[in-house]
Amino acid sequence: MNVIDVYDIATSTWYKQATDGEYPDLRVNPCAVAASAPDGSSTNVYVYGGQNLIPYGQQIQYDEMWILSVPSFKWLKVDTTGQSTPPARVGASCSIWDGQIVVIGGYTGPDLSCDSGFYVFSATDLKWQNNFNALSGGNTQNQQVSQQKDLTGLSGSYGYEVPGAVQSVIGGDAKGGATITAPVQAATQGPLATGKPIIYTVTDSNGAVVTQTGTVNTSSGNGNRKSGPNIAAIVAGVVAGFFAVLAAYLGFCAWVYRRQLALYKDHVAMSQRAAARAPNEKSSFLPSSTEGSSARNGKGSITDQSSAIGGASSRLTGTNSNGLDSNAPPLPTGLWPPVGGNSTANSSNEDLMLGQEPSFVGVLLNPRRSLRVINRD
């Protein structure tokens, strides 16, 4: 019951409103009445009895009296310690007249025996009493004197005054003057978020005004009102920001991976075309059988190896022994790693030349290396 369903009669619309303070346990079939402060600054809803159906077979009835003060939507449990309270019950009927709540019938005990009696509770004094004390002077609707000229004034409130326990929660005095005239928990929508209670002027028998219009206390008047950062919103923002950064990083790595994979495929295709044009020449990508065997057998002098490398270099660069350009087609750029420079980028180029296909995991672990490769090409 920490969230109350509110029905707007004017627009036939349901709203939900969060409450403040300790609230009743879950229950079914309580009875409830409402009483208006003399000046209308608050309306107090009295909820009595009810039954908890959980767990099955262990249902219990309640003898508690709770007050929900509107429009502050603050709960207050009535202290009836030491009073002669009726047996706990469910399904009773409640009515209010002359500021007194009359409870009739209901089911009591584990066998849900019907109680045919009636009981009286003073809504002003917050006490169970033995008799109903009829008051004189009320109109046919039993409205507060200050509200008798208004057809919308709440009936049954004649003679009712705001109890001291309620005053300590919403401010004001017995005649009204509540200082909290809006929901303590932020109103969701509808008239609770924008409307204000109708305030009536209460006068004494000599014509003196005894109440003043209450105002919303926005400072420290409400001791239960909490302020500070919204932790849930902060956590949600941090989590959302983390996933946004992660999504951006994964997207960037996917773009780099596609570029590097395309570059790898281009290099493989150019290697194959170069091998097809000059089948008898040494390829810059694959060592010849002679060179490979020499490397494997550890044979061949340094001079021979240098000569082989020099000859291959001459053919790759397209120059003759005199250093003049020949008519050989130029080798595609990016096939031979430059001397010096960044070792990471060079090793990446070598990976391409050695036929090592790039992987998305490799890009995730070292995106800078992959980015340098595609920038150099």
Side-chain angles (χ1 to χ4, degrees):
M1 300 178 75
N2 60 324
V3 177
I4 303 298
D5 293 306
V6 180
Y7 184 73
D8 183 4
I9 300 176
T11 61
S12 300
T13 306
W14 282 100
Y15 300 101
K16 289 185 178 295
Q17 177 58 51
T19 63
D20 186 70
E22 180 187 4
Y23 54 87
D25 294 329
L26 182 67
R27 63 193 62 196
V28 297
N29 296 334
C31 65
V33 297
S36 173
D39 69 347
S41 61
S42 68
T43 298
N44 299 309
V45 181
Y46 291 73
V47 180
Y48 170 69
Q51 178 177 256
N52 186 352
L53 298 178
I54 302 173
Y56 175 77
Q58 302 180 26
Q59 299 93 330
I60 58 173
Q61 292 88 40
Y62 296 102
D63 62 355
E64 303 168 343
M65 182 73 75
W66 290 80
I67 300 176
L68 177 65
S69 186
V70 179
S72 66
F73 281 88
K74 291 184 67 69
W75 278 108
L76 173 68
K77 184 178 181 180
V78 177
D79 184 8
T80 58
T81 304
Q83 300 183 28
S84 179
T85 59
R89 65 194 56 235
V90 60
S93 296
C94 293
S95 298
I96 186 170
W97 198 262
D98 288 343
Q100 300 165 81
I101 302 173
V102 179
V103 179
I104 303 175
Y107 300 93
T108 64
D111 56 350
L112 296 179
S113 299
C114 181
D115 185 347
S116 58
F118 73 92
Y119 305 88
V120 180
F121 182 82
S122 172
T124 299
D125 299 330
L126 302 182
K127 293 181 179 180
W128 291 99
Q129 55 194 40
N130 296 326
N131 301 303
F132 179 84
N133 300 318
L135 304 179
S136 59
N139 62 359
T140 56
Q141 296 187 38
N142 203 240
Q143 296 171 304
Q144 293 279 15
V145 175
S146 59
Q147 303 177 23
Q148 290 180 356
K149 295 182 179 180
D150 186 354
L151 295 178
T152 62
L154 195 61
S155 62
S157 299
Y158 180 76
Y160 172 75
E161 293 184 343
V162 181
V166 177
Q167 298 172 33
S168 65
V169 173
I170 65 173
D173 54 27
K175 300 299 182 181
T179 57
I180 303 178
T181 57
V184 174
Q185 301 294 333
T188 52
Q189 53 184 329
L192 296 177
T194 59
K196 296 293 182 182
I198 300 175
I199 303 299
Y200 302 90
T201 301
V202 180
T203 58
D204 203 348
S205 57
N206 58 5
V209 177
V210 296
T211 62
Q212 296 179 354
T213 301
T215 58
V216 178
N217 187 349
T218 58
S219 58
S220 58
N222 178 21
N224 294 328
R225 197 162 195 167
K226 299 179 180 179
S227 60
N230 190 331
I231 302 300
I234 294 175
V235 172
V238 171
V239 172
F242 169 77
F243 281 107
V245 172
L246 179 62
Y249 177 72
L250 292 176
F252 170 75
C253 289
W255 175 79
V256 172
Y257 169 70
R258 288 196 297 267
R259 290 288 305 274
Q260 190 176 6
L261 184 62
L263 182 63
Y264 163 77
K265 293 180 179 179
D266 291 342
H267 279 239
V268 171
M270 287 188 291
S271 174
Q272 293 174 349
R273 288 196 298 270
R277 285 198 302 267
N280 296 326
E281 291 188 0
K282 298 176 183 178
S283 173
S284 61
F285 301 94
L286 299 175
S288 66
S289 60
T290 304
E291 293 172 344
S293 61
S294 298
R296 288 190 299 271
N297 298 329
K299 298 180 180 181
S301 64
I302 297 176
T303 305
D304 294 339
Q305 294 175 3
S306 301
S307 300
I309 294 174
S313 177
S314 299
R315 286 190 295 275
L316 287 172
T317 55
T319 60
N320 55 25
S321 60
N322 296 327
L324 300 176
D325 292 340
S326 65
N327 295 325
L331 193 65
T333 60
L335 295 181
W336 193 263
V339 178
N342 186 280
S343 60
T344 302
N346 292 342
S347 62
S348 299
N349 287 338
E350 291 170 1
D351 290 345
L352 292 175
M353 295 170 62
L354 292 176
Q356 296 181 1
E357 182 176 350
S359 66
F360 184 70
V361 175
V363 175
L364 285 177
L365 297 178
N366 198 349
R368 295 181 61 187
R369 175 183 176 187
S370 302
L371 188 60
R372 286 170 180 168
V373 171
I374 63 178
N375 287 337
R376 289 175 63 91
D377 189 75

